[in-house]
Amino acid sequence: MEFKDRRDAGRALAKALEPWRGQPLVVLGLPRGGVPVAFEVARALGAPLDVLVVRKLGYPGEEEFAMGAIDSGGVRYMDESALA
């Protein structure tokens, strides 16, 4: 699928998630791109929006390659296949 921008993508995603309207939920957005998408979803579903701050753990020498992530609370996820 192609979208005009991230907000357009969020509106399309919100349509697909319409069955969730009225359910107790919170929409989470990731900084650097995910927040505009999440904003449109939250607005369309009438749900609260929160931002989940995470940082990619890059592979040494390969900055675009992620081997994991860590959130602002210290929770860490490591991709075991990337570490192998």
Side-chain angles (χ1 to χ4, degrees), residues 47-68:
L49 169 65
D50 202 352
V51 176
L52 182 62
V53 179
V54 297
R55 178 159 175 25
K56 174 177 68 176
L57 297 174
Y59 192 80
E62 298 288 336
E63 291 161 24
E64 290 303 314
F65 180 74
M67 64 179 179

Side-chain angles (χ1 to χ4, degrees), residues 21-63:
R21 176 181 277 289
Q23 299 297 314
L25 57 94
V26 174
V27 178
L28 297 175
L30 297 175
R32 298 198 59 188
V35 174
V37 176
F39 173 80
E40 295 296 333
V41 171
R43 184 174 70 159
L45 298 181
L49 169 65
D50 202 352
V51 176
L52 182 62
V53 179
V54 297
R55 178 159 175 25
K56 174 177 68 176
L57 297 174
Y59 192 80
E62 298 288 336
E63 291 161 24

Side-chain angles (χ1 to χ4, degrees), residues 59 67 78-84:
Y59 192 80
M67 64 179 179
M78 300 302 291
D79 183 341
E80 296 300 326
S81 64
L83 296 173

